Amino acid sequence: MLHIPRAFRTVGSIGATLSLPGTSPLRSQSDITPHRHRRERHRPQTFAPEREETYHVLTLHTDTAHYQNMRKLRERYYPPALLRVAAHISLFRALPGSMLPSIRTDIATAASQTVSFGICAVGPPIRMGQSGVGVLVKGLEPVEGIVRTLQGNWKAVLSQQDRGKFRGHYTMMNKVDDPEKVEKCIRELRREFEPQGCSGTALGLSLWRYDAGWWRHEENFAFNRRGRY
């Protein structure tokens, strides 16, 4: 079972929260293919040449206790040679840097109109293809609303992937070709998340920039914590 502390301690910088032990916040490599090798469905629809375009990812920022629990589980099951980024929930994966000024404005507006809310990572774990395992997250209705709004604002430039339906989850294992290891992960995660799951609080959004496959933290956008819009 997961031990969930009663009190949550927030952090001032997402840069620290997504870094793995022993790494710098500015040297957290994405487990997503670097943009110079991106497939067509993963590219934003802009007029900037691909070699000149920069790419950004938008993630959900949670309290430290929830993050640490999910980070430890991902580190337990993710292939060590591929593990570069700690546990995270992605909203968008390929926001174009050529549109960054308006993108920042829209994110800030959406965050300011959202009150901090509770979430819970729950079982049973889900199989992601033949080689991956994920954990779904309850309570993400506010994020679904944010994604729909931003998709409407950015529909002309989003990649095919980012235009799709938001399905909030944590990826605990990926690119593992051994079926026995995948099944073992599913069994153990099922026990970890029964019966109460892993609760936490969503505190805001965080914007990251790809740098030849590495993540560099750009900015945090805090939700409204005073309970009003």
Side-chain angles (χ1 to χ4, degrees):
M1 304 295 260
L2 291 172
H3 172 66
I4 312 298
R6 292 184 179 180
F8 295 119
R9 177 171 58 85
T10 62
V11 293
S13 172
I14 295 287
T17 65
L18 278 186
S19 298
L20 294 169
T23 66
S24 162
L26 299 184
R27 292 186 62 79
S28 293
Q29 189 179 28
S30 169
D31 54 11
I32 302 173
T33 306
H35 71 262
R36 62 180 178 274
H37 300 303
R38 284 176 183 264
R39 289 173 290 184
E40 184 63 33
R41 69 183 301 268
H42 295 160
R43 299 175 187 168
Q45 307 301 303
T46 67
F47 293 105
E50 185 184 2
R51 66 181 180 277
E52 298 177 10
E53 184 64 275
T54 59
Y55 298 87
H56 295 71
V57 61
L58 188 65
T59 62
L60 184 68
H61 175 28
T62 71
D63 65 90
T64 303
H66 176 83
Y67 159 76
Q68 290 291 352
N69 278 310
M70 301 308 297
R71 176 187 65 81
K72 291 174 183 176
L73 287 174
R74 179 174 164 100
E75 290 178 11
R76 183 188 304 174
Y77 296 110
Y78 212 90
L82 302 177
L83 182 61
R84 299 293 184 271
V85 176
H88 58 277
I89 299 172
S90 296
L91 283 68
F92 294 93
R93 298 169 179 82
L95 298 175
S98 58
M99 305 294 294
L100 198 56
S102 60
I103 284 174
R104 287 181 187 271
T105 298
D106 288 345
I107 296 172
T109 298
S112 70
Q113 295 175 345
T114 304
V115 178
S116 297
F117 55 92
I119 62 174
C120 188
V122 297
I126 58 172
R127 185 184 289 273
M128 302 176 67
Q130 297 298 315
S131 61
V133 179
V135 173
L136 297 177
V137 183
K138 287 186 175 181
L140 291 178
E141 290 82 2
V143 181
E144 294 172 359
I146 290 173
V147 171
R148 286 195 298 269
T149 297
L150 296 180
Q151 283 177 329
N153 293 349
W154 305 335
K155 60 183 178 181
V157 300
L158 289 179
S159 67
Q160 180 182 340
Q161 183 184 37
D162 281 344
R163 291 198 302 268
K165 183 178 179 179
F166 170 72
R167 295 179 173 85
H169 67 279
Y170 285 105
T171 300
M172 297 288 101
M173 172 184 279
N174 200 14
K175 299 181 175 68
V176 174
D177 296 326
D178 186 337
E180 292 186 4
K181 288 184 178 181
V182 175
E183 289 299 329
K184 183 174 183 287
C185 174
I186 291 174
R187 290 195 304 270
E188 292 182 355
L189 286 176
R190 182 178 292 112
R191 290 195 295 268
E192 289 280 0
F193 287 98
E194 291 178 351
Q196 81 276 21
C198 180
S199 298
T201 303
L203 301 176
L205 304 173
S206 187
L207 186 66
W208 299 79
R209 176 174 58 87
Y210 289 126
D211 183 3
W214 298 86
W215 283 19
R216 295 184 181 270
H217 180 245
E218 293 245 325
E219 189 173 353
N220 300 332
F221 302 84
F223 290 153
N224 186 334
R225 303 181 191 180
R226 293 174 291 180
R228 63 179 180 82
Y229 288 88

